[in-house]
Amino acid sequence: QVQLVESGGGLVQAGGSLRLSCAASGSIFRINTMGWYRQAPGKQRELVARITSSGNTNYADSVKGRFTISRDNAKNTVYLQMNSLKPEDTAVYYCNAVVYSSAYISGDVWGRGTQVTVSS
């Protein structure tokens, strides 16, 4: 089984920064796209940022210029550097990855999430 474990969440004041990490483990042949999603209270889960295996990135408009996604393929880890945080960034942040356990078997894997709280 493949697992994703997030870390780095916490409480920070508006304008502050946090760095989230997500490490994949288990039977991994390769990992394609990795991404971060978030779900705020009373809202649906939304894409925050995504990065391909070759380093191409996409960001939600709401975080462009403030957040940076990166990955370390050797460590099977994806990161999300969050700067200039706003109260509206408060949410549970989930790691997602398209993981291949073989050349032809893949799964859409999710972490359990890490809480990010931005106070005013």
Side-chain angles (χ1 to χ4, degrees):
Q1 307 91 305
V2 177
Q3 296 183 80
L4 302 177
V5 180
E6 303 98 334
S7 62
L11 175 64
V12 65
Q13 290 187 336
S17 298
L18 285 173
R19 190 190 192 215
L20 306 183
S21 299
C22 171
S25 62
S27 298
I28 301 172
F29 179 73
R30 71 177 180 91
I31 303 176
N32 197 355
T33 301
M34 304 184 80
W36 289 95
Y37 293 72
R38 67 186 181 188
Q39 187 165 22
K43 296 184 177 180
Q44 294 184 320
R45 188 173 299 187
E46 64 176 352
L47 173 70
V48 177
R50 184 162 48 200
I51 185 168
T52 69
S53 59
S54 60
N56 257 63
T57 60
N58 292 101
Y59 297 92
D61 288 341
S62 60
V63 307
K64 287 181 179 177
R66 300 189 297 121
F67 291 10
T68 303
I69 189 170
S70 61
R71 64 191 288 169
D72 185 335
N73 291 330
K75 296 180 179 180
N76 291 324
T77 300
V78 64
Y79 307 93
L80 185 67
Q81 178 66 47
M82 304 184 293
N83 298 326
S84 302
L85 284 162
K86 304 175 181 179
E88 49 263 47
D89 294 318
T90 295
V92 177
Y93 284 70
Y94 297 91
C95 180
N96 173 259
V98 179
V99 181
Y100 287 77
S101 57
S102 71
Y104 51 89
I105 300 176
S106 66
D108 191 19
V109 184
W110 292 87
R112 289 183 175 272
T114 184
Q115 177 71 49
V116 172
T117 302
V118 184
S119 66
S120 59

